Amino acid sequence: KTEIDSLSKYFKRVIVVSEEKSKSLDISNAYVHLIDYSDYKTSQQLFSNFFSFFSLLLSELISLPKYFIYPKAILKIASNLLRSFYVKEQLKKIIAQEENQPLMYTFWFNNWATALSLLVKEKSIKEYFSRTHGTDLYEERVPKFKKIPFRKFQLKYVKKVFTVSESGMIYLKKKYPEFSYKI
C-alpha cells in the first residue's frame, strides 16, 4: 500500500494487477484488477503456447539437470510457466484498454516477471521493471534446487531490476554478471 500510494503521486493512473483479492486501496487514482482464473484450462494454455512453453521448459531443465530427479518439481515449474502464459494474456487485455502503453512494474521478481518477459519477447510491450528483495532474489532460499526458475529468461527481458538493498544488488550481479548492467 505504501508503494502504491507513492506511485499514485507520480502517475495519472496506477493499475494494480493481482491474483489475490485485497482490501480497497482508498487511493483515488489506483485501481485493482484481479486476474480471473475461472476460465483457465491447462490443455488450452499448452496448446496455445506449445513451442514457446517447451522451449522455455527444456532450457530450464537443461540448466539444472538435478530437476530430473524430482518429477514433481518439473510439474510445478511447468504449471507455473503455463500460468505465466495465462497471466500474459490477461495483461494484454488490460493493456489494450489503456490509451497509451502503460509502464509495467513488478513488486516481486517472480512469475510476474516471467509473464512480463513473455510480453516483451513477443513485442506486446516495450519493457518492464522489477523490484526484488527476499525469496524472489536469494536463490539459496529455494528448497532442494537453490535456483529460481526462469531467472535468466527474466533477466534477459527486464529493463532494470531494483534491489531493495546494496547486498541484494551485489548478490545478483555476482550470480548473473552478464546482466549486471540491468541491476
mmCIF file with all atom_site columns, all heavy atoms in Angstrom, residues 42-65:
data_model
loop_
_atom_site.group_PDB
_atom_site.id
_atom_site.type_symbol
_atom_site.label_atom_id
_atom_site.label_alt_id
_atom_site.label_comp_id
_atom_site.label_asym_id
_atom_site.label_entity_id
_atom_site.label_seq_id
_atom_site.pdbx_PDB_ins_code
_atom_site.Cartn_x
_atom_site.Cartn_y
_atom_site.Cartn_z
_atom_site.occupancy
_atom_site.B_iso_or_equiv
_atom_site.pdbx_formal_charge
_atom_site.auth_seq_id
_atom_site.auth_comp_id
_atom_site.auth_asym_id
_atom_site.auth_atom_id
_atom_site.pdbx_PDB_model_num
ATOM 1   N N   . THR A 1 42 ? -5.471 -25.849 -18.449 1.00 0.00 ? 42 THR A N   1
ATOM 2   C CA  . THR A 1 42 ? -4.090 -26.249 -18.720 1.00 0.00 ? 42 THR A CA  1
ATOM 3   C C   . THR A 1 42 ? -3.931 -26.684 -20.168 1.00 0.00 ? 42 THR A C   1
ATOM 4   O O   . THR A 1 42 ? -2.990 -26.264 -20.852 1.00 0.00 ? 42 THR A O   1
ATOM 5   C CB  . THR A 1 42 ? -3.666 -27.385 -17.762 1.00 0.00 ? 42 THR A CB  1
ATOM 6   O OG1 . THR A 1 42 ? -3.770 -26.907 -16.420 1.00 0.00 ? 42 THR A OG1 1
ATOM 7   C CG2 . THR A 1 42 ? -2.242 -27.836 -18.038 1.00 0.00 ? 42 THR A CG2 1
ATOM 8   N N   . SER A 1 43 ? -4.841 -27.503 -20.650 1.00 0.00 ? 43 SER A N   1
ATOM 9   C CA  . SER A 1 43 ? -4.724 -28.019 -22.020 1.00 0.00 ? 43 SER A CA  1
ATOM 10  C C   . SER A 1 43 ? -4.766 -26.888 -23.043 1.00 0.00 ? 43 SER A C   1
ATOM 11  O O   . SER A 1 43 ? -4.028 -26.910 -24.029 1.00 0.00 ? 43 SER A O   1
ATOM 12  C CB  . SER A 1 43 ? -5.832 -29.042 -22.308 1.00 0.00 ? 43 SER A CB  1
ATOM 13  O OG  . SER A 1 43 ? -7.101 -28.456 -22.109 1.00 0.00 ? 43 SER A OG  1
ATOM 14  N N   . GLN A 1 44 ? -5.606 -25.895 -22.805 1.00 0.00 ? 44 GLN A N   1
ATOM 15  C CA  . GLN A 1 44 ? -5.701 -24.760 -23.721 1.00 0.00 ? 44 GLN A CA  1
ATOM 16  C C   . GLN A 1 44 ? -4.396 -23.951 -23.715 1.00 0.00 ? 44 GLN A C   1
ATOM 17  O O   . GLN A 1 44 ? -3.907 -23.539 -24.766 1.00 0.00 ? 44 GLN A O   1
ATOM 18  C CB  . GLN A 1 44 ? -6.875 -23.871 -23.341 1.00 0.00 ? 44 GLN A CB  1
ATOM 19  C CG  . GLN A 1 44 ? -7.077 -22.703 -24.274 1.00 0.00 ? 44 GLN A CG  1
ATOM 20  C CD  . GLN A 1 44 ? -8.259 -21.838 -23.853 1.00 0.00 ? 44 GLN A CD  1
ATOM 21  O OE1 . GLN A 1 44 ? -8.904 -22.075 -22.852 1.00 0.00 ? 44 GLN A OE1 1
ATOM 22  N NE2 . GLN A 1 44 ? -8.524 -20.812 -24.643 1.00 0.00 ? 44 GLN A NE2 1
ATOM 23  N N   . GLN A 1 45 ? -3.832 -23.733 -22.533 1.00 0.00 ? 45 GLN A N   1
ATOM 24  C CA  . GLN A 1 45 ? -2.571 -22.993 -22.438 1.00 0.00 ? 45 GLN A CA  1
ATOM 25  C C   . GLN A 1 45 ? -1.438 -23.763 -23.119 1.00 0.00 ? 45 GLN A C   1
ATOM 26  O O   . GLN A 1 45 ? -0.622 -23.181 -23.825 1.00 0.00 ? 45 GLN A O   1
ATOM 27  C CB  . GLN A 1 45 ? -2.212 -22.711 -20.975 1.00 0.00 ? 45 GLN A CB  1
ATOM 28  C CG  . GLN A 1 45 ? -3.090 -21.690 -20.314 1.00 0.00 ? 45 GLN A CG  1
ATOM 29  C CD  . GLN A 1 45 ? -3.140 -20.393 -21.101 1.00 0.00 ? 45 GLN A CD  1
ATOM 30  O OE1 . GLN A 1 45 ? -2.114 -19.816 -21.445 1.00 0.00 ? 45 GLN A OE1 1
ATOM 31  N NE2 . GLN A 1 45 ? -4.330 -19.934 -21.395 1.00 0.00 ? 45 GLN A NE2 1
ATOM 32  N N   . LEU A 1 46 ? -1.442 -25.058 -22.924 1.00 0.00 ? 46 LEU A N   1
ATOM 33  C CA  . LEU A 1 46 ? -0.407 -25.894 -23.539 1.00 0.00 ? 46 LEU A CA  1
ATOM 34  C C   . LEU A 1 46 ? -0.521 -25.877 -25.057 1.00 0.00 ? 46 LEU A C   1
ATOM 35  O O   . LEU A 1 46 ? 0.475  -25.716 -25.762 1.00 0.00 ? 46 LEU A O   1
ATOM 36  C CB  . LEU A 1 46 ? -0.533 -27.328 -23.006 1.00 0.00 ? 46 LEU A CB  1
ATOM 37  C CG  . LEU A 1 46 ? 0.613  -28.275 -23.269 1.00 0.00 ? 46 LEU A CG  1
ATOM 38  C CD1 . LEU A 1 46 ? 1.930  -27.701 -22.797 1.00 0.00 ? 46 LEU A CD1 1
ATOM 39  C CD2 . LEU A 1 46 ? 0.349  -29.599 -22.580 1.00 0.00 ? 46 LEU A CD2 1
ATOM 40  N N   . PHE A 1 47 ? -1.733 -25.977 -25.547 1.00 0.00 ? 47 PHE A N   1
ATOM 41  C CA  . PHE A 1 47 ? -1.966 -25.970 -26.997 1.00 0.00 ? 47 PHE A CA  1
ATOM 42  C C   . PHE A 1 47 ? -1.599 -24.610 -27.599 1.00 0.00 ? 47 PHE A C   1
ATOM 43  O O   . PHE A 1 47 ? -0.930 -24.529 -28.625 1.00 0.00 ? 47 PHE A O   1
ATOM 44  C CB  . PHE A 1 47 ? -3.427 -26.317 -27.301 1.00 0.00 ? 47 PHE A CB  1
ATOM 45  C CG  . PHE A 1 47 ? -3.738 -26.335 -28.761 1.00 0.00 ? 47 PHE A CG  1
ATOM 46  C CD1 . PHE A 1 47 ? -3.322 -27.388 -29.572 1.00 0.00 ? 47 PHE A CD1 1
ATOM 47  C CD2 . PHE A 1 47 ? -4.441 -25.289 -29.342 1.00 0.00 ? 47 PHE A CD2 1
ATOM 48  C CE1 . PHE A 1 47 ? -3.601 -27.394 -30.929 1.00 0.00 ? 47 PHE A CE1 1
ATOM 49  C CE2 . PHE A 1 47 ? -4.728 -25.286 -30.703 1.00 0.00 ? 47 PHE A CE2 1
ATOM 50  C CZ  . PHE A 1 47 ? -4.302 -26.350 -31.497 1.00 0.00 ? 47 PHE A CZ  1
ATOM 51  N N   . SER A 1 48 ? -2.031 -23.540 -26.962 1.00 0.00 ? 48 SER A N   1
ATOM 52  C CA  . SER A 1 48 ? -1.804 -22.188 -27.487 1.00 0.00 ? 48 SER A CA  1
ATOM 53  C C   . SER A 1 48 ? -0.336 -21.763 -27.457 1.00 0.00 ? 48 SER A C   1
ATOM 54  O O   . SER A 1 48 ? 0.079  -20.909 -28.241 1.00 0.00 ? 48 SER A O   1
ATOM 55  C CB  . SER A 1 48 ? -2.598 -21.160 -26.680 1.00 0.00 ? 48 SER A CB  1
ATOM 56  O OG  . SER A 1 48 ? -3.964 -21.431 -26.739 1.00 0.00 ? 48 SER A OG  1
ATOM 57  N N   . ASN A 1 49 ? 0.426  -22.325 -26.548 1.00 0.00 ? 49 ASN A N   1
ATOM 58  C CA  . ASN A 1 49 ? 1.809  -21.878 -26.337 1.00 0.00 ? 49 ASN A CA  1
ATOM 59  C C   . ASN A 1 49 ? 2.808  -23.018 -26.462 1.00 0.00 ? 49 ASN A C   1
ATOM 60  O O   . ASN A 1 49 ? 3.891  -22.969 -25.877 1.00 0.00 ? 49 ASN A O   1
ATOM 61  C CB  . ASN A 1 49 ? 1.928  -21.247 -24.941 1.00 0.00 ? 49 ASN A CB  1
ATOM 62  C CG  . ASN A 1 49 ? 0.963  -20.114 -24.760 1.00 0.00 ? 49 ASN A CG  1
ATOM 63  O OD1 . ASN A 1 49 ? 1.123  -19.068 -25.364 1.00 0.00 ? 49 ASN A OD1 1
ATOM 64  N ND2 . ASN A 1 49 ? -0.053 -20.313 -23.950 1.00 0.00 ? 49 ASN A ND2 1
ATOM 65  N N   . PHE A 1 50 ? 2.443  -24.025 -27.215 1.00 0.00 ? 50 PHE A N   1
ATOM 66  C CA  . PHE A 1 50 ? 3.182  -25.280 -27.261 1.00 0.00 ? 50 PHE A CA  1
ATOM 67  C C   . PHE A 1 50 ? 4.689  -25.094 -27.452 1.00 0.00 ? 50 PHE A C   1
ATOM 68  O O   . PHE A 1 50 ? 5.488  -25.526 -26.627 1.00 0.00 ? 50 PHE A O   1
ATOM 69  C CB  . PHE A 1 50 ? 2.613  -26.184 -28.366 1.00 0.00 ? 50 PHE A CB  1
ATOM 70  C CG  . PHE A 1 50 ? 3.198  -27.556 -28.383 1.00 0.00 ? 50 PHE A CG  1
ATOM 71  C CD1 . PHE A 1 50 ? 2.731  -28.522 -27.508 1.00 0.00 ? 50 PHE A CD1 1
ATOM 72  C CD2 . PHE A 1 50 ? 4.229  -27.878 -29.251 1.00 0.00 ? 50 PHE A CD2 1
ATOM 73  C CE1 . PHE A 1 50 ? 3.273  -29.794 -27.506 1.00 0.00 ? 50 PHE A CE1 1
ATOM 74  C CE2 . PHE A 1 50 ? 4.776  -29.152 -29.251 1.00 0.00 ? 50 PHE A CE2 1
ATOM 75  C CZ  . PHE A 1 50 ? 4.300  -30.109 -28.376 1.00 0.00 ? 50 PHE A CZ  1
ATOM 76  N N   . PHE A 1 51 ? 5.093  -24.447 -28.521 1.00 0.00 ? 51 PHE A N   1
ATOM 77  C CA  . PHE A 1 51 ? 6.525  -24.339 -28.833 1.00 0.00 ? 51 PHE A CA  1
ATOM 78  C C   . PHE A 1 51 ? 7.263  -23.448 -27.840 1.00 0.00 ? 51 PHE A C   1
ATOM 79  O O   . PHE A 1 51 ? 8.351  -23.799 -27.379 1.00 0.00 ? 51 PHE A O   1
ATOM 80  C CB  . PHE A 1 51 ? 6.737  -23.863 -30.271 1.00 0.00 ? 51 PHE A CB  1
ATOM 81  C CG  . PHE A 1 51 ? 6.292  -24.887 -31.276 1.00 0.00 ? 51 PHE A CG  1
ATOM 82  C CD1 . PHE A 1 51 ? 5.164  -24.668 -32.053 1.00 0.00 ? 51 PHE A CD1 1
ATOM 83  C CD2 . PHE A 1 51 ? 6.986  -26.084 -31.423 1.00 0.00 ? 51 PHE A CD2 1
ATOM 84  C CE1 . PHE A 1 51 ? 4.735  -25.622 -32.963 1.00 0.00 ? 51 PHE A CE1 1
ATOM 85  C CE2 . PHE A 1 51 ? 6.564  -27.046 -32.330 1.00 0.00 ? 51 PHE A CE2 1
ATOM 86  C CZ  . PHE A 1 51 ? 5.428  -26.818 -33.099 1.00 0.00 ? 51 PHE A CZ  1
ATOM 87  N N   . SER A 1 52 ? 6.687  -22.317 -27.504 1.00 0.00 ? 52 SER A N   1
ATOM 88  C CA  . SER A 1 52 ? 7.330  -21.424 -26.530 1.00 0.00 ? 52 SER A CA  1
ATOM 89  C C   . SER A 1 52 ? 7.448  -22.099 -25.169 1.00 0.00 ? 52 SER A C   1
ATOM 90  O O   . SER A 1 52 ? 8.478  -22.007 -24.502 1.00 0.00 ? 52 SER A O   1
ATOM 91  C CB  . SER A 1 52 ? 6.535  -20.136 -26.378 1.00 0.00 ? 52 SER A CB  1
ATOM 92  O OG  . SER A 1 52 ? 6.564  -19.397 -27.558 1.00 0.00 ? 52 SER A OG  1
ATOM 93  N N   . PHE A 1 53 ? 6.374  -22.782 -24.779 1.00 0.00 ? 53 PHE A N   1
ATOM 94  C CA  . PHE A 1 53 ? 6.357  -23.466 -23.483 1.00 0.00 ? 53 PHE A CA  1
ATOM 95  C C   . PHE A 1 53 ? 7.465  -24.511 -23.404 1.00 0.00 ? 53 PHE A C   1
ATOM 96  O O   . PHE A 1 53 ? 8.275  -24.509 -22.476 1.00 0.00 ? 53 PHE A O   1
ATOM 97  C CB  . PHE A 1 53 ? 4.989  -24.112 -23.248 1.00 0.00 ? 53 PHE A CB  1
ATOM 98  C CG  . PHE A 1 53 ? 4.960  -25.052 -22.079 1.00 0.00 ? 53 PHE A CG  1
ATOM 99  C CD1 . PHE A 1 53 ? 4.905  -24.570 -20.779 1.00 0.00 ? 53 PHE A CD1 1
ATOM 100 C CD2 . PHE A 1 53 ? 4.999  -26.423 -22.276 1.00 0.00 ? 53 PHE A CD2 1
ATOM 101 C CE1 . PHE A 1 53 ? 4.896  -25.443 -19.696 1.00 0.00 ? 53 PHE A CE1 1
ATOM 102 C CE2 . PHE A 1 53 ? 4.981  -27.303 -21.202 1.00 0.00 ? 53 PHE A CE2 1
ATOM 103 C CZ  . PHE A 1 53 ? 4.930  -26.807 -19.907 1.00 0.00 ? 53 PHE A CZ  1
ATOM 104 N N   . PHE A 1 54 ? 7.518  -25.406 -24.377 1.00 0.00 ? 54 PHE A N   1
ATOM 105 C CA  . PHE A 1 54 ? 8.508  -26.481 -24.316 1.00 0.00 ? 54 PHE A CA  1
ATOM 106 C C   . PHE A 1 54 ? 9.936  -25.961 -24.506 1.00 0.00 ? 54 PHE A C   1
ATOM 107 O O   . PHE A 1 54 ? 10.869 -26.486 -23.909 1.00 0.00 ? 54 PHE A O   1
ATOM 108 C CB  . PHE A 1 54 ? 8.171  -27.602 -25.304 1.00 0.00 ? 54 PHE A CB  1
ATOM 109 C CG  . PHE A 1 54 ? 7.141  -28.533 -24.751 1.00 0.00 ? 54 PHE A CG  1
ATOM 110 C CD1 . PHE A 1 54 ? 5.859  -28.536 -25.260 1.00 0.00 ? 54 PHE A CD1 1
ATOM 111 C CD2 . PHE A 1 54 ? 7.432  -29.385 -23.696 1.00 0.00 ? 54 PHE A CD2 1
ATOM 112 C CE1 . PHE A 1 54 ? 4.888  -29.376 -24.730 1.00 0.00 ? 54 PHE A CE1 1
ATOM 113 C CE2 . PHE A 1 54 ? 6.482  -30.228 -23.154 1.00 0.00 ? 54 PHE A CE2 1
ATOM 114 C CZ  . PHE A 1 54 ? 5.197  -30.228 -23.676 1.00 0.00 ? 54 PHE A CZ  1
ATOM 115 N N   . SER A 1 55 ? 10.090 -24.935 -25.282 1.00 0.00 ? 55 SER A N   1
ATOM 116 C CA  . SER A 1 55 ? 11.407 -24.340 -25.459 1.00 0.00 ? 55 SER A CA  1
ATOM 117 C C   . SER A 1 55 ? 11.926 -23.778 -24.137 1.00 0.00 ? 55 SER A C   1
ATOM 118 O O   . SER A 1 55 ? 13.066 -24.039 -23.738 1.00 0.00 ? 55 SER A O   1
ATOM 119 C CB  . SER A 1 55 ? 11.332 -23.237 -26.518 1.00 0.00 ? 55 SER A CB  1
ATOM 120 O OG  . SER A 1 55 ? 12.530 -22.530 -26.572 1.00 0.00 ? 55 SER A OG  1
ATOM 121 N N   . LEU A 1 56 ? 11.087 -23.011 -23.452 1.00 0.00 ? 56 LEU A N   1
ATOM 122 C CA  . LEU A 1 56 ? 11.484 -22.436 -22.164 1.00 0.00 ? 56 LEU A CA  1
ATOM 123 C C   . LEU A 1 56 ? 11.686 -23.512 -21.104 1.00 0.00 ? 56 LEU A C   1
ATOM 124 O O   . LEU A 1 56 ? 12.651 -23.465 -20.341 1.00 0.00 ? 56 LEU A O   1
ATOM 125 C CB  . LEU A 1 56 ? 10.415 -21.457 -21.683 1.00 0.00 ? 56 LEU A CB  1
ATOM 126 C CG  . LEU A 1 56 ? 10.604 -20.014 -22.068 1.00 0.00 ? 56 LEU A CG  1
ATOM 127 C CD1 . LEU A 1 56 ? 9.365  -19.204 -21.747 1.00 0.00 ? 56 LEU A CD1 1
ATOM 128 C CD2 . LEU A 1 56 ? 11.805 -19.430 -21.369 1.00 0.00 ? 56 LEU A CD2 1
ATOM 129 N N   . LEU A 1 57 ? 10.775 -24.453 -21.045 1.00 0.00 ? 57 LEU A N   1
ATOM 130 C CA  . LEU A 1 57 ? 10.867 -25.511 -20.041 1.00 0.00 ? 57 LEU A CA  1
ATOM 131 C C   . LEU A 1 57 ? 12.121 -26.356 -20.256 1.00 0.00 ? 57 LEU A C   1
ATOM 132 O O   . LEU A 1 57 ? 12.860 -26.624 -19.308 1.00 0.00 ? 57 LEU A O   1
ATOM 133 C CB  . LEU A 1 57 ? 9.615  -26.394 -20.068 1.00 0.00 ? 57 LEU A CB  1
ATOM 134 C CG  . LEU A 1 57 ? 9.551  -27.469 -18.987 1.00 0.00 ? 57 LEU A CG  1
ATOM 135 C CD1 . LEU A 1 57 ? 9.566  -26.855 -17.597 1.00 0.00 ? 57 LEU A CD1 1
ATOM 136 C CD2 . LEU A 1 57 ? 8.302  -28.331 -19.175 1.00 0.00 ? 57 LEU A CD2 1
ATOM 137 N N   . LEU A 1 58 ? 12.373 -26.743 -21.483 1.00 0.00 ? 58 LEU A N   1
ATOM 138 C CA  . LEU A 1 58 ? 13.559 -27.547 -21.779 1.00 0.00 ? 58 LEU A CA  1
ATOM 139 C C   . LEU A 1 58 ? 14.842 -26.785 -21.439 1.00 0.00 ? 58 LEU A C   1
ATOM 140 O O   . LEU A 1 58 ? 15.767 -27.337 -20.850 1.00 0.00 ? 58 LEU A O   1
ATOM 141 C CB  . LEU A 1 58 ? 13.555 -27.973 -23.248 1.00 0.00 ? 58 LEU A CB  1
ATOM 142 C CG  . LEU A 1 58 ? 14.645 -28.944 -23.666 1.00 0.00 ? 58 LEU A CG  1
ATOM 143 C CD1 . LEU A 1 58 ? 14.555 -30.235 -22.859 1.00 0.00 ? 58 LEU A CD1 1
ATOM 144 C CD2 . LEU A 1 58 ? 14.535 -29.247 -25.146 1.00 0.00 ? 58 LEU A CD2 1
ATOM 145 N N   . SER A 1 59 ? 14.875 -25.518 -21.772 1.00 0.00 ? 59 SER A N   1
ATOM 146 C CA  . SER A 1 59 ? 16.031 -24.681 -21.447 1.00 0.00 ? 59 SER A CA  1
ATOM 147 C C   . SER A 1 59 ? 16.264 -24.662 -19.938 1.00 0.00 ? 59 SER A C   1
ATOM 148 O O   . SER A 1 59 ? 17.402 -24.761 -19.468 1.00 0.00 ? 59 SER A O   1
ATOM 149 C CB  . SER A 1 59 ? 15.794 -23.278 -21.982 1.00 0.00 ? 59 SER A CB  1
ATOM 150 O OG  . SER A 1 59 ? 16.772 -22.405 -21.530 1.00 0.00 ? 59 SER A OG  1
ATOM 151 N N   . GLU A 1 60 ? 15.195 -24.541 -19.178 1.00 0.00 ? 60 GLU A N   1
ATOM 152 C CA  . GLU A 1 60 ? 15.295 -24.517 -17.715 1.00 0.00 ? 60 GLU A CA  1
ATOM 153 C C   . GLU A 1 60 ? 15.786 -25.862 -17.175 1.00 0.00 ? 60 GLU A C   1
ATOM 154 O O   . GLU A 1 60 ? 16.657 -25.916 -16.301 1.00 0.00 ? 60 GLU A O   1
ATOM 155 C CB  . GLU A 1 60 ? 13.938 -24.162 -17.096 1.00 0.00 ? 60 GLU A CB  1
ATOM 156 C CG  . GLU A 1 60 ? 13.967 -23.996 -15.605 1.00 0.00 ? 60 GLU A CG  1
ATOM 157 C CD  . GLU A 1 60 ? 14.867 -22.863 -15.124 1.00 0.00 ? 60 GLU A CD  1
ATOM 158 O OE1 . GLU A 1 60 ? 15.094 -21.894 -15.865 1.00 0.00 ? 60 GLU A OE1 1
ATOM 159 O OE2 . GLU A 1 60 ? 15.365 -22.963 -13.988 1.00 0.00 ? 60 GLU A OE2 1
ATOM 160 N N   . LEU A 1 61 ? 15.246 -26.949 -17.699 1.00 0.00 ? 61 LEU A N   1
ATOM 161 C CA  . LEU A 1 61 ? 15.631 -28.278 -17.223 1.00 0.00 ? 61 LEU A CA  1
ATOM 162 C C   . LEU A 1 61 ? 17.092 -28.592 -17.547 1.00 0.00 ? 61 LEU A C   1
ATOM 163 O O   . LEU A 1 61 ? 17.798 -29.193 -16.737 1.00 0.00 ? 61 LEU A O   1
ATOM 164 C CB  . LEU A 1 61 ? 14.708 -29.347 -17.818 1.00 0.00 ? 61 LEU A CB  1
ATOM 165 C CG  . LEU A 1 61 ? 13.232 -29.247 -17.411 1.00 0.00 ? 61 LEU A CG  1
ATOM 166 C CD1 . LEU A 1 61 ? 12.413 -30.302 -18.129 1.00 0.00 ? 61 LEU A CD1 1
ATOM 167 C CD2 . LEU A 1 61 ? 13.065 -29.353 -15.908 1.00 0.00 ? 61 LEU A CD2 1
ATOM 168 N N   . ILE A 1 62 ? 17.532 -28.166 -18.695 1.00 0.00 ? 62 ILE A N   1
ATOM 169 C CA  . ILE A 1 62 ? 18.931 -28.392 -19.089 1.00 0.00 ? 62 ILE A CA  1
ATOM 170 C C   . ILE A 1 62 ? 19.882 -27.584 -18.200 1.00 0.00 ? 62 ILE A C   1
ATOM 171 O O   . ILE A 1 62 ? 20.973 -28.031 -17.878 1.00 0.00 ? 62 ILE A O   1
ATOM 172 C CB  . ILE A 1 62 ? 19.136 -28.054 -20.583 1.00 0.00 ? 62 ILE A CB  1
ATOM 173 C CG1 . ILE A 1 62 ? 18.451 -29.122 -21.438 1.00 0.00 ? 62 ILE A CG1 1
ATOM 174 C CG2 . ILE A 1 62 ? 20.615 -27.922 -20.931 1.00 0.00 ? 62 ILE A CG2 1
ATOM 175 C CD1 . ILE A 1 62 ? 18.367 -28.777 -22.912 1.00 0.00 ? 62 ILE A CD1 1
ATOM 176 N N   . SER A 1 63 ? 19.429 -26.405 -17.782 1.00 0.00 ? 63 SER A N   1
ATOM 177 C CA  . SER A 1 63 ? 20.283 -25.556 -16.946 1.00 0.00 ? 63 SER A CA  1
ATOM 178 C C   . SER A 1 63 ? 20.531 -26.163 -15.561 1.00 0.00 ? 63 SER A C   1
ATOM 179 O O   . SER A 1 63 ? 21.495 -25.808 -14.898 1.00 0.00 ? 63 SER A O   1
ATOM 180 C CB  . SER A 1 63 ? 19.690 -24.155 -16.799 1.00 0.00 ? 63 SER A CB  1
ATOM 181 O OG  . SER A 1 63 ? 18.587 -24.173 -15.907 1.00 0.00 ? 63 SER A OG  1
ATOM 182 N N   . LEU A 1 64 ? 19.661 -27.067 -15.137 1.00 0.00 ? 64 LEU A N   1
ATOM 183 C CA  . LEU A 1 64 ? 19.825 -27.721 -13.839 1.00 0.00 ? 64 LEU A CA  1
ATOM 184 C C   . LEU A 1 64 ? 19.328 -29.162 -13.946 1.00 0.00 ? 64 LEU A C   1
ATOM 185 O O   . LEU A 1 64 ? 18.174 -29.449 -13.643 1.00 0.00 ? 64 LEU A O   1
ATOM 186 C CB  . LEU A 1 64 ? 19.074 -26.971 -12.737 1.00 0.00 ? 64 LEU A CB  1
ATOM 187 C CG  . LEU A 1 64 ? 19.335 -27.440 -11.310 1.00 0.00 ? 64 LEU A CG  1
ATOM 188 C CD1 . LEU A 1 64 ? 20.794 -27.202 -10.902 1.00 0.00 ? 64 LEU A CD1 1
ATOM 189 C CD2 . LEU A 1 64 ? 18.422 -26.732 -10.338 1.00 0.00 ? 64 LEU A CD2 1
ATOM 190 N N   . PRO A 1 65 ? 20.195 -30.062 -14.389 1.00 0.00 ? 65 PRO A N   1
ATOM 191 C CA  . PRO A 1 65 ? 19.793 -31.466 -14.570 1.00 0.00 ? 65 PRO A CA  1
ATOM 192 C C   . PRO A 1 65 ? 19.233 -32.121 -13.305 1.00 0.00 ? 65 PRO A C   1
ATOM 193 O O   . PRO A 1 65 ? 18.502 -33.104 -13.388 1.00 0.00 ? 65 PRO A O   1
ATOM 194 C CB  . PRO A 1 65 ? 21.094 -32.141 -15.015 1.00 0.00 ? 65 PRO A CB  1
ATOM 195 C CG  . PRO A 1 65 ? 21.926 -31.050 -15.584 1.00 0.00 ? 65 PRO A CG  1
ATOM 196 C CD  . PRO A 1 65 ? 21.566 -29.816 -14.806 1.00 0.00 ? 65 PRO A CD  1
#
